[in-house]
Amino acid sequence: IFDGIPILWVGIVPARKLLEDRVPGISRNIEIYDGIIGRNLAGGHLSMEGMPDEGVMSDHHHLNEIGHSYIFCRVREGINRLVGV
């Protein structure tokens, strides 16, 4: 669809335990979704597996400044990899 244009896809932040407690099965659904994207986008999938707990707000889902900074760094790494930096 993008005719050879590289695509970066930001994965879903893994669910924290308290979110899993509120929404049973969400962790597995995130793993399935990210697995599908990872298999179909080869080197373009940016996993959020390393997101620090401190990067997620008290609702255990939305990102705070630390989380957004983490994603920014991952996207920057992905772009640098694509352009050969």
Side-chain angles (χ1 to χ4, degrees), residues 64-81:
N64 59 25
E65 183 177 350
I66 294 168
H68 284 284
S69 178
Y70 178 84
I71 289 179
F72 169 80
C73 290
R74 296 287 293 131
V75 170
R76 182 178 55 197
E77 290 168 6
I79 292 169
N80 287 341
R81 186 179 67 246

Side-chain angles (χ1 to χ4, degrees), residues 8 11 15 23 43 45 59-60 66:
L8 292 176
V23 186
H45 179 243
D59 67 0
H60 313 292
I66 294 168

Side-chain angles (χ1 to χ4, degrees), residues 30-50:
I30 290 170
E31 289 173 18
I32 291 169
Y33 178 84
D34 274 356
I36 292 167
I37 298 301
R39 285 189 302 279
N40 288 286
L41 280 181
H45 179 243
L46 303 175
S47 173
M48 294 295 113
E49 284 293 322

Side-chain angles (χ1 to χ4, degrees), residues 5-70:
I5 297 170
I7 298 171
L8 292 176
W9 192 286
V10 176
I12 299 174
V13 174
R16 299 317 195 239
K17 181 179 177 343
L18 291 173
L19 181 59
E20 179 68 33
D21 291 345
R22 282 193 316 203
V23 186
I26 190 139
S27 295
R28 182 69 184 129
N29 288 334
I30 290 170
E31 289 173 18
I32 291 169
Y33 178 84
D34 274 356
I36 292 167
I37 298 301
R39 285 189 302 279
N40 288 286
L41 280 181
H45 179 243
L46 303 175
S47 173
M48 294 295 113
E49 284 293 322
M51 172 69 69
D53 288 338
E54 299 79 26
V56 181
M57 294 174 62
S58 60
D59 67 0
H60 313 292
H61 176 68
H62 291 96
L63 303 178
N64 59 25
E65 183 177 350
I66 294 168
H68 284 284
S69 178
Y70 178 84

